[in-house]
Amino acid sequence: MASRFIDAIRKGQRQLAQRALIELAQQKGLLNSDQVDSLTINPSGDVNSLVQQGHLSKDQAKTLHDESVYVDIMATVNDAEAPEEVQLARVDSRRRVGRYVMVSEIGAGGMGVVWKGWDTQLSRWVAIKQLKVNDANLVNRFIREASLLAQLSHANITSVFEIGVHFGMPYLVMQLIDGGPPKLGIHTRKRAAEIVMHAARAVQHAHEHGMVHRDLKPSNLLVSSDGQVFVTDFGLARMRESENDLTASGTLLGTPAYMASEQAQGREADQRTDVYGLGACLYGLVKGEAPFTGEVVHELVKRVALSNPPVLEGNDDLAVITQKAMERDREDRYETAAELADELERFLADEPIAARPLNTLQRSFRRAKRNPRKTAAFGFGALALSAVLIWGGTQLYQDYLRQNQVDAASVFIANAKGQEDQLSQLSSIGKVDPDIQQTIVNRLRDAAKQAAELAPGLAQAEYYLGRAAMFSDDFVSAQMHFDAALEDDPFHEAARVQRIVTYAALEDATSPEIIQDRTGFHIAPAKDSEARRATLAKIESERALIHPDSQQMNLVDAVIKNIRGEFAASVDALNQHLLDFPIDYNIRGMLLFALIAKKDYDSATQLAREMIERDVFVADSYAALAYSAAGVGDYDSAITLMERVVTLENTPDNRKWLATWHMELGDLETAIDIFQSILAEHPDHVGSILGRVMLIGLVYPLDGPEIAHLLPETKSIAEQYPEDAYIHFVLGQTALMAEPETAIQAYTRAYTLDPEEYEAHGKAMISTIHFQRSEYVNATKNMQEALRLMPEMTSWRLTLARYHWFTGDYTASLAELAPLIELGSEDAMYLAVQNHVSLKDGPWVVRLSRELIKINPSNPNYLMLLADGLAMTGDIEGAKQTLDEAARLAADDTALQESIANLRQWLGL
């Protein structure tokens, strides 16, 4: 038993030794994190096992072994001199980080922990900062802090000794300060000034090396036991000229209570931002609290962004220095930390300071100079002076009245929130009774309206009025209320997000297009247009004002991606949003159509059936089922489902899809009837007008009266929608026979606007117009271009072959016909025989005519061609018998009988 116990101890010691080797190899850059993860801890515990596993060469292994022996020797030599607490801590292998021992925890934050540590080689105390989570962004920021600090060498900035990696997690070894942050409110004004003066000298040194701290606060200042001041925690520091900045303008970085106004507004920080931070530290050390306080971060940031900082009590130069350092507008602060340090030094020496406090008039005048457009029209000097004279007597009273209004409205705001919560709960429990839902929406609107009457313009009241409008699908009113909410409170995130949704809902140019064309049913991105670009730019600028960690950011990104046509990414963003807001059925409706656009019909069908079961957005859900069926070409099911939709929402657009899908099934008469019924109720419904025009063109001759009388209204629609390619193509079809020149212009306009969809078809139709005009060169050229774009169109190739035959280019005609004949095209074979007749090539005429007769023995035209070929080859009797058979088959066709008689005469039979 004892021997097994001793063996286990020795095995454990060997494994610990190898772990130490692994750490040392990683510190020396001989192993990376992936290699460490794949290592097997070998019981032998020596460096050779790393060679055997293929991780080190023999030379590297020797170097590593020698280094490890040195480390062990130094640790052994110094062990006896190490404090007792170090010797106790080093027994725990988890406390060993390279040559350091983590003895006791000093402090911890969201991303890391700081330990009091012991350097076993140099026998000194150090601070070890270690990450707690393996997040790429945090690791980058951590390593960045170390590299930035390594560039600084100042008596008041903590020194960096080493950076390393311990089992995949980076750590930073720094100078240990045997003290702590200065406590608030216990220092004399002179001592507070002395602490901040030394800190300002250190910050100036950082600025001179291109670095801005961005998070100066009392807890990031340390005072040692001998009174020396140190600036620490450069984790948010940024190199001003760096192009690879880990953060961007618009991102909120820093501690709100000590944050400068420009940081709270999401603007870029500069060295004057640190001047504010130093002033805020001075305020806190003297006053005993931060310049701005509050438990709700959102409200605290708002006050920092919009309010003037408080003034330090005491009628002395220190109050003036603090006020100047903390001016809300950074242009009014000290330009550099050195200027602030010099002022504090003068204050400590009881010498006159350079700064003088700004009064309200001076501050207003300076702002006016920076924003001349806002003040020029008002005769600023007189107005500002008047404002200063009356401000003291009225502002407090106005604030008092407003607070009373807000307090009175708060009861109704709470009521409105309760109603919105009920709507959310209603959506989550199963079926939603529309009458109950409408009752709650009415209560929500009434409560918000009463709050708005008591406190006009109150952000929360306007927000809930907007929400009530959205529940009623009144997006115009909703947007107006969200505008008002943001005017009162620019930081009202929920109002901003909902306003973005209304932008997308109200602008048709941003909506994806639902299309049924030659490729089938599909949803395409909104066409690029000036209106789409403007709306997208507006939404993206709004997005920049939302905190990047907002739960609603996924919804905003989904709206943007949907407009851009990035449907797969839109689905991902919507699903992520629904993880945070699972009862947001309005967004599930958006997800439905994003899934269809992505062509994920199975997921769309599953979600639609779930919503139907819950009795939420039933009409939209059935429409989604219909679109999914159409997407896979099941038009019978699509029609059945859309008929159900029409019983719920009898809109012209829903009925238009019924007509469209009947047309896809070849039931053109039913499709025309549906379009006619829509237009009887909605004479201006453009989709139905165009659908009817297209169908009439399919059912009736293009030169018939049914088409001619539609030309004026089609022209009118094209004038109303000059950028719609489809409408211009329909105009071309309508004008094809009646006004050929109008048709050419319309087809050209269509394929100029949308070449991918209409260029090939437009050129093919223009080709037929040129042929009708006997403009054979242009006809041939346009048809060749159409075939280049769509070589699979066999009917166009046959038409081009006819052009060549008609113009006498028989060789070119036969070249176009050859691939069609190989496909077994009867029409191509018939035209080929006619070409050979024109070439007087009797054997080919006979051969091809017999092939045609095999296909259709009762066609007199094929027998006439055979007779012509037999006559060419000298078989007169055969030709005569063939014509007799043709005459017998055409006994009831007077025109054919006449053609046969003419051929007899031509052949001399």
Side-chain angles (χ1 to χ4, degrees):
M1 177 72 72
S3 62
R4 285 201 299 271
F5 179 67
I6 293 171
D7 288 343
I9 291 175
R10 288 174 177 171
K11 179 180 178 182
Q13 289 173 337
R14 287 194 298 271
Q15 290 177 335
L16 285 174
Q18 188 168 28
R19 286 196 180 96
L21 282 171
I22 291 168
E23 285 184 22
L24 187 59
Q26 197 171 9
Q27 291 171 23
K28 297 296 180 183
L30 301 177
L31 294 176
N32 58 38
S33 298
D34 291 338
Q35 289 173 311
V36 171
D37 292 341
S38 66
L39 285 174
T40 301
I41 302 299
N42 192 296
S44 67
D46 60 17
V47 73
N48 291 328
S49 65
L50 298 179
V51 177
Q52 293 166 4
Q53 294 179 50
H55 296 295
L56 296 178
S57 68
K58 289 184 177 180
D59 289 341
Q60 289 173 327
K62 185 178 186 309
T63 301
L64 184 63
H65 177 267
D66 293 344
E67 179 73 17
S68 68
V69 170
Y70 171 77
V71 170
D72 286 342
I73 291 172
M74 290 299 298
T76 303
V77 169
N78 294 330
D79 248 357
E81 301 176 4
E84 183 178 358
E85 56 186 317
V86 175
Q87 297 185 40
L88 291 173
R90 65 175 286 129
V91 175
D92 185 350
S93 62
R94 294 170 299 178
R95 296 285 190 91
R96 297 295 301 272
V97 180
R99 76 191 209 202
Y100 304 99
V101 180
M102 296 187 298
V103 177
S104 58
E105 186 175 317
I106 298 173
M111 61 180 279
V113 60
V114 180
W115 289 80
K116 178 182 178 182
W118 180 258
D119 185 335
T120 60
Q121 287 187 13
L122 300 179
S123 298
R124 65 177 176 180
W125 289 108
V126 293
I128 303 172
K129 187 172 184 178
Q130 189 178 38
L131 276 184
K132 292 194 298 187
V133 291
N134 192 9
D135 177 86
N137 289 329
L138 292 180
V139 170
N140 286 340
R141 179 181 290 179
F142 186 87
I143 294 173
R144 210 161 138 269
E145 178 187 1
S147 64
L148 293 175
L149 278 173
Q151 300 175 41
L152 304 179
S153 178
H154 191 274
N156 299 109
I157 297 178
T158 49
S159 300
V160 175
F161 298 147
E162 183 180 339
I163 184 169
V165 178
H166 179 62
F167 281 100
M169 302 295 284
Y171 64 88
L172 183 65
V173 182
M174 300 177 293
Q175 176 183 1
L176 178 68
I177 309 301
D178 58 340
K183 294 183 180 179
L184 302 184
I186 68 168
H187 301 284
T188 65
R189 295 171 85 86
K190 290 272 187 178
R191 178 53 180 158
E194 186 179 17
I195 291 172
V196 175
M197 181 193 71
H198 289 301
R201 298 291 185 205
V203 170
Q204 178 65 30
H205 177 76
H207 289 174
E208 289 168 358
H209 286 76
M211 195 183 306
V212 181
H213 191 288
R214 298 203 291 186
D215 194 23
L216 288 169
K217 54 189 175 183
S219 62
N220 282 339
L221 306 181
L222 295 179
V223 181
S224 66
S225 57
D226 60 0
Q228 188 174 358
V229 177
F230 294 88
V231 179
T232 66
D233 199 355
F234 281 74
L236 294 184
R238 183 186 69 87
M239 295 299 291
R240 288 199 302 272
E241 305 301 326
S242 173
E243 294 180 359
N244 297 318
D245 192 12
L246 293 176
T247 59
S249 180
T251 301
L252 194 66
L253 291 176
T255 305
Y258 290 90
M259 185 180 287
S261 62
E262 61 269 19
Q263 287 176 289
Q265 294 167 19
R267 294 157 57 198
E268 190 56 79
D270 63 16
Q271 62 186 24
R272 293 167 297 179
T273 305
D274 282 351
V275 170
Y276 179 96
L278 290 164
C281 287
L282 186 55
Y283 180 96
L285 293 178
V286 175
K287 177 72 173 175
E289 63 182 17
F292 292 94
T293 58
E295 295 182 359
V296 180
V297 174
H298 173 83
E299 292 296 331
L300 180 59
V301 172
K302 177 183 174 183
R303 287 203 300 277
V304 172
L306 302 179
S307 306
N308 287 317
V311 177
L312 183 64
E313 296 173 356
N315 188 20
D316 64 352
D317 286 346
L318 190 64
V320 175
I321 294 171
T322 308
Q323 180 184 356
K324 184 172 179 64
M326 292 173 58
E327 284 288 348
R328 190 178 75 177
D329 295 328
R330 55 179 139 189
E331 292 83 357
D332 294 333
R333 300 173 200 155
Y334 293 105
E335 277 294 314
T336 65
E339 285 185 23
L340 172 59
D342 291 343
E343 283 280 76
L344 290 170
E345 193 168 351
R346 283 189 281 270
F347 168 75
L348 291 168
D350 294 322
E351 296 174 0
I353 64 170
R356 290 292 177 267
L358 296 177
N359 59 39
T360 304
L361 180 59
Q362 289 172 316
R363 190 173 286 111
S364 299
F365 182 70
R366 292 192 182 192
R367 288 178 188 162
K369 286 179 67 178
R370 289 193 288 271
N371 301 280
R373 293 183 181 178
K374 294 183 179 179
T375 54
F378 295 98
F380 178 78
L383 184 61
L385 181 59
S386 300
V388 171
L389 292 174
I390 65 172
W391 181 85
T394 62
Q395 186 61 44
L396 291 176
Y397 181 62
Q398 293 294 333
D399 290 345
Y400 170 76
L401 289 179
R402 181 59 174 173
Q403 189 58 52
N404 279 349
Q405 290 178 338
V406 173
D407 290 343
S410 63
V411 175
F412 296 102
I413 292 296
N415 187 359
K417 184 181 186 308
Q419 302 304 322
E420 187 182 42
D421 290 343
Q422 280 194 26
L423 286 169
S424 298
Q425 293 168 7
L426 195 65
S427 297
S428 67
I429 60 175
K431 291 192 174 183
V432 178
D433 186 314
D435 293 333
I436 294 177
Q437 177 170 301
Q438 189 57 51
T439 299
I440 299 174
V441 170
N442 291 341
R443 290 175 182 169
L444 170 62
R445 183 183 296 108
D446 291 343
K449 190 180 294 183
Q450 288 175 296
E453 289 172 356
L454 289 169
L458 182 63
Q460 277 296 86
E462 295 293 344
Y463 168 73
Y464 284 121
L465 284 171
R467 290 292 287 158
M470 288 193 78
F471 278 114
S472 302
D473 291 334
D474 186 356
F475 289 97
V476 174
S477 296
Q479 189 176 109
M480 291 172 59
H481 288 300
F482 295 140
D483 287 344
L486 288 165
E487 188 173 330
D488 177 61
D489 180 4
F491 292 89
H492 199 300
E493 190 172 273
R496 195 173 297 281
V497 171
Q498 293 302 319
R499 183 165 71 171
I500 287 173
V501 174
T502 66
Y503 285 156
L506 289 173
E507 180 52 71
D508 289 339
T510 64
S511 300
E513 294 186 279
I514 306 176
I515 296 171
Q516 181 80 49
D517 60 15
R518 58 186 171 77
T519 64
F521 178 89
H522 58 101
I523 295 179
K527 283 190 173 66
D528 185 38
S529 65
E530 186 175 340
R532 173 184 174 274
R533 289 192 295 272
T535 302
L536 193 55
K538 182 163 59 175
I539 291 174
E540 288 175 333
S541 66
E542 291 273 295
R543 182 192 184 280
L545 299 175
I546 301 171
H547 193 283
D549 294 333
S550 168
Q551 281 188 302
Q552 300 260 21
M553 189 61 85
N554 285 307
L555 175 57
V556 176
D557 286 342
V559 171
I560 293 173
K561 293 176 191 303
N562 210 44
I563 294 172
R564 288 176 175 166
E566 300 168 3
F567 298 121
S570 172
V571 167
D572 292 341
L574 287 169
N575 277 324
Q576 192 62 43
H577 171 78
L578 288 168
L579 288 177
D580 297 323
F581 301 92
I583 56 178
D584 198 341
Y585 276 88
N586 187 40
I587 302 309
R588 289 181 189 269
M590 187 187 299
L591 175 60
L592 264 180
F593 291 91
L595 287 168
I596 295 170
K598 185 187 170 186
K599 298 188 177 180
D600 186 354
Y601 300 119
D602 290 340
S603 297
T605 298
Q606 180 180 347
L607 179 57
R609 295 200 181 282
E610 175 190 331
M611 293 175 71
I612 290 169
E613 185 178 344
R614 288 179 174 270
D615 203 13
V616 179
F617 298 109
V618 175
D620 287 339
S621 299
Y622 273 111
L625 291 176
Y627 295 150
S628 296
V632 297
D634 185 1
Y635 296 113
D636 285 313
S637 296
I639 289 171
T640 301
L641 289 161
M642 189 54 72
E643 285 173 344
R644 178 66 182 273
V645 177
V646 170
T647 64
L648 298 169
E649 290 185 357
N650 187 5
T651 67
D653 282 336
N654 289 336
R655 288 158 65 189
K656 181 200 77 172
W657 283 114
L658 285 176
T660 302
W661 293 330
H662 275 292
M663 183 175 68
E664 288 295 323
L665 292 174
D667 189 358
L668 305 185
E669 294 290 350
T670 300
I672 289 177
D673 288 343
I674 294 173
F675 280 132
Q676 297 283 29
S677 69
I678 295 172
L679 292 170
E681 301 171 20
H682 307 276
D684 298 326
H685 190 255
V686 174
S688 296
I689 295 172
L690 296 175
R692 180 184 60 170
V693 170
M694 287 294 289
L695 280 170
I696 288 177
L698 292 172
V699 175
Y700 300 103
L702 290 175
D703 57 352
E706 297 86 358
I707 295 292
H709 85 273
L710 293 174
L711 183 55
E713 65 177 319
T714 311
K715 280 184 178 180
S716 175
I717 295 171
E719 289 172 1
Q720 294 175 51
Y721 300 93
E723 302 300 316
D724 194 308
Y726 174 66
I727 292 175
H728 287 283
F729 188 82
V730 172
L731 174 59
Q733 296 291 87
T734 311
L736 183 63
M737 301 302 295
E739 295 182 14
E741 195 58 42
T742 299
I744 289 175
Q745 293 173 3
Y747 289 133
T748 303
R749 178 66 176 162
Y751 71 66
T752 300
L753 291 169
D754 189 351
E756 183 178 355
E757 185 66 33
Y758 295 108
E759 185 172 9
H761 289 276
K763 287 183 180 295
M765 297 308 297
I766 290 172
S767 169
T768 62
I769 296 173
H770 284 304
F771 190 79
Q772 291 166 5
R773 293 174 166 181
S774 301
E775 298 168 354
Y776 303 125
V777 174
N778 282 336
T780 301
K781 178 182 175 182
N782 276 280
M783 190 58 75
Q784 286 172 332
E785 290 179 0
L787 272 169
R788 177 181 59 79
L789 295 167
M790 295 184 67
E792 70 276 11
M793 293 295 287
T794 55
S795 61
W796 294 354
R797 192 169 300 283
L798 189 63
T799 299
L800 180 59
R802 286 198 181 98
Y803 290 172
H804 289 312
W805 171 70
F806 191 84
T807 57
D809 192 349
Y810 307 121
T811 302
S813 179
L814 288 169
E816 296 292 346
L817 292 170
L820 303 182
I821 292 173
E822 286 185 14
L823 294 174
S825 170
E826 188 176 345
D827 291 336
M829 203 175 297
Y830 180 67
L831 183 56
V833 175
Q834 291 176 309
N835 273 279
H836 284 295
V837 169
S838 299
L839 289 168
K840 305 297 182 184
D841 189 349
W844 270 102
V845 172
V846 172
R847 178 181 172 183
L848 290 173
S849 297
R850 291 192 190 282
E851 291 294 326
L852 284 170
I853 291 168
K854 288 179 183 178
I855 296 171
N856 190 350
S858 60
N859 190 325
N861 289 298
Y862 297 167
L863 291 170
M864 290 167 64
L865 287 172
L866 176 59
D868 201 352
L870 291 171
M872 288 182 199
T873 59
D875 186 358
I876 303 301
E877 185 60 33
K880 181 180 178 185
Q881 292 175 3
T882 302
L883 283 178
D884 289 343
E885 178 62 17
R888 185 184 66 78
L889 292 172
D892 298 329
D893 191 327
T894 304
L896 267 178
Q897 288 286 359
E898 185 176 348
S899 295
I900 292 169
N902 291 335
L903 184 58
R904 283 182 192 276
Q905 185 178 355
W906 172 262
L907 297 176
L909 301 178

